[in-house]
Amino acid sequence: FQNNLAVNATVAKFVATPEGTALAYGSLVFMALLPIFFGALRSVSCGKSKNSSDMPETITGRDAARFPIIASCTLFGLYLFFKIFSQEYINLLLSMYFFVLGILALSHTMSPFMNRIFPANIPIKQYQLLFTQGSGEAKEEIVNYEFDTKDLICLVISTVVGVWYILKKHWIANNLFGLAFALNGVELLHLNNVSTGCILLGGLFVYDVFWVFGTNVMVTVAKSFEAPIKLVFPQDLLEKGLGASQFAMLGLGDIVIPGIFIALLLRFDVSLKKETRTYFYTSFLAYIFGLGMTIWVMHTFKHAQPALLYLVPACIGFPVVVALLKGELTEMFR
C-alpha cells in the first residue's frame, strides 16, 4: 500500500530540533530492524511447523511479477476513494478492518513469548472454535480453530491494544499493530527462490519510484490513510512527551518486502549447513545501509523518498557480491 518514508507536512510549518529528528529517525530504523530480524528467525521454524495456522504462504515468480501491478491498482484505487468519498467514513471502515486483523496479528506475534513466560502451575485448557456448513455427509468445515489458555490471554491483551487504537489512534498502539503486521509478513510470506525475490524487489523498485517521484499519489494516500500500515515516531517527543503529534513515518512495505528477501537468505544459509550466517548478516547490514541512505537523502533534499530506491540495490547487490567472492552464486540462484 504505502512504501515511502516521509515527514508529515504541517500547517504551522513545524521545524524539528536536530535531537528530535535524530531520535525519530533512529527509532524508526530500530523498529524496522526488529520484525526483519525476529521474523526471519521465525520463518526458519515456521517452514517446519505442522500447525496449519503457522504454514507459510509461498510467493512464486508469477506472483512476484503480478504484485507491482496489483499494488499499483490498489494504491490508485485508494487515491480515488479519498478524492471522491469522505475521508472520515473510509478511515472508519479501514479502522474496523485493521482492528480485527491487528488483534489476530498481535496475538500470533505474542504467542511464542507467552509460551516461555506462562507459569507452569496454571492449568492449560484446550478450546476449539468450529463453524460448519450443511448437515450429514454434506457438512463442510468453514472455520476450525484450536487454541488454549495462553492463546486466549494473548487475544485479550491484543484486544485491549485494539480498543486503545480505535478510540485514541495513539501512535504507540499504531506501532504495536504495525510491528505485528510486519513480523507476521516476514515470517509467513516465503519466496520460493532468489530469482523470485529479485523479480519482486525489482518490480516494486519501479513501482515505488514511479508513484513517489512521478505523482503525488503515494504521499497523498500515506497521509490520508489512518491505518497501522506504517510505523511512526514523533519528532517533537522531547518537547511534548507522549502527546506529540509531528511524525516521521516509514511504510510497512519498506520493511516487509526487503524482509522476506532477507529471511530467504537466512534459510539459504541454513540449507548450506554451515555454522555461519553470512548471507543473512550481509543482507541485514545492507538493509541498514539502504535505510540510512534514504533518511540522509530525504533530510538533505527535504522531499519524500521511495525507500526501495535505496533498499533494493543494497539488499540484492551486497549478498550477490559476497556469493561471487565465495563462488556460491550458482548455488544461491538454484
Side-chain angles (χ1 to χ4, degrees):
F1 289 149
Q2 187 264 88
N3 285 314
N4 70 296
L5 186 61
V7 180
N8 281 5
T10 61
V11 178
K13 291 187 178 178
F14 168 78
V15 179
T17 62
E19 295 83 1
T21 302
L23 178 63
Y25 292 152
S27 299
L28 283 177
V29 171
F30 177 71
M31 285 192 291
L33 296 178
L34 289 175
I36 292 177
F37 187 84
F38 292 106
L41 292 177
R42 286 171 60 160
S43 79
V44 175
S45 56
C46 91
K48 303 170 186 173
S49 174
K50 294 180 180 178
N51 189 341
S52 60
S53 65
D54 291 335
M55 289 300 289
E57 183 73 30
T58 302
I59 300 171
T60 64
R62 181 179 291 182
D63 296 330
R66 287 187 301 198
F67 195 84
I69 300 168
I70 296 168
S72 294
C73 293
T74 304
L75 181 71
F76 192 63
L78 283 168
Y79 175 77
L80 292 177
F81 263 96
F82 282 119
K83 288 290 182 184
I84 297 168
F85 302 105
S86 168
Q87 188 175 314
E88 183 184 348
Y89 295 119
I90 297 170
N91 279 320
L92 181 64
L93 286 171
L94 290 171
S95 293
M96 296 310 297
Y97 175 68
F98 281 100
F99 169 73
V100 176
L101 282 185
I103 288 172
L104 296 175
L106 194 56
S107 296
H108 184 263
T109 301
M110 290 170 58
S111 185
F113 303 108
M114 186 60 71
N115 288 337
R116 290 180 182 179
I117 65 170
F118 196 79
N121 58 341
I122 297 178
I124 298 173
K125 295 182 179 179
Q126 299 293 326
Y127 302 94
Q128 183 179 25
L129 188 65
L130 181 65
F131 282 103
T132 60
Q133 180 177 287
S135 59
E137 291 184 2
K139 184 187 287 186
E140 61 174 313
E141 289 183 1
I142 298 173
V143 175
N144 186 0
Y145 184 66
E146 294 182 1
F147 56 100
D148 58 24
T149 308
K150 291 178 285 189
D151 297 321
L152 211 56
I153 293 170
C154 290
L155 207 59
V156 170
I157 295 170
S158 301
T159 303
V160 171
V161 175
V163 171
W164 181 27
Y165 172 76
I166 285 286
L167 296 179
K168 299 293 183 181
K169 289 289 192 296
H170 199 277
W171 61 272
I172 294 178
N174 172 90
N175 287 349
L176 288 172
F177 273 175
L179 287 168
F181 285 137
L183 191 144
N184 279 277
V186 175
E187 177 188 357
L188 299 173
L189 291 174
H190 284 199
L191 294 162
N192 62 356
N193 56 50
V194 172
S195 299
T196 299
C198 292
I199 293 169
L200 180 67
L201 266 67
L204 288 174
F205 172 91
V206 176
Y207 154 88
D208 212 18
V209 171
F210 172 76
W211 289 112
V212 174
F213 284 150
T215 70
N216 70 335
V217 171
M218 182 80 82
V219 176
T220 302
V221 171
K223 291 176 180 176
S224 305
F225 202 88
E226 288 183 12
I229 54 144
K230 56 198 174 197
L231 298 181
V232 298
F233 200 90
Q235 293 180 297
D236 54 344
L237 181 70
L238 298 175
E239 292 86 1
K240 298 185 179 178
L242 294 179
S245 58
Q246 309 302 328
F247 297 103
M249 60 186 179
L250 176 65
L252 294 190
D254 296 328
I255 301 170
V256 176
I257 300 303
I260 60 177
F261 188 73
I262 293 169
L264 171 67
L265 292 177
L266 174 59
R267 296 194 300 277
F268 174 60
D269 275 326
V270 171
S271 75
L272 293 175
K273 294 182 170 60
K274 295 179 181 178
E275 292 299 315
T276 58
R277 297 288 179 258
T278 308
Y279 296 103
F280 172 63
Y281 289 122
T282 301
S283 55
F284 193 73
L285 290 172
Y287 181 83
I288 297 172
F289 172 78
L291 199 55
M293 278 291 295
T294 308
I295 293 169
W296 180 78
V297 173
M298 186 191 67
H299 190 64
T300 303
F301 294 100
K302 310 295 182 188
H303 187 277
Q305 295 295 313
L308 293 183
L309 174 64
Y310 309 95
L311 291 171
V312 169
C315 289
I316 293 177
F318 283 34
V320 165
V321 169
V322 170
L324 272 170
L325 294 173
K326 295 184 72 176
E328 294 176 338
L329 190 65
T330 306
E331 198 168 356
M332 175 193 271
F333 277 87
R334 194 189 303 129

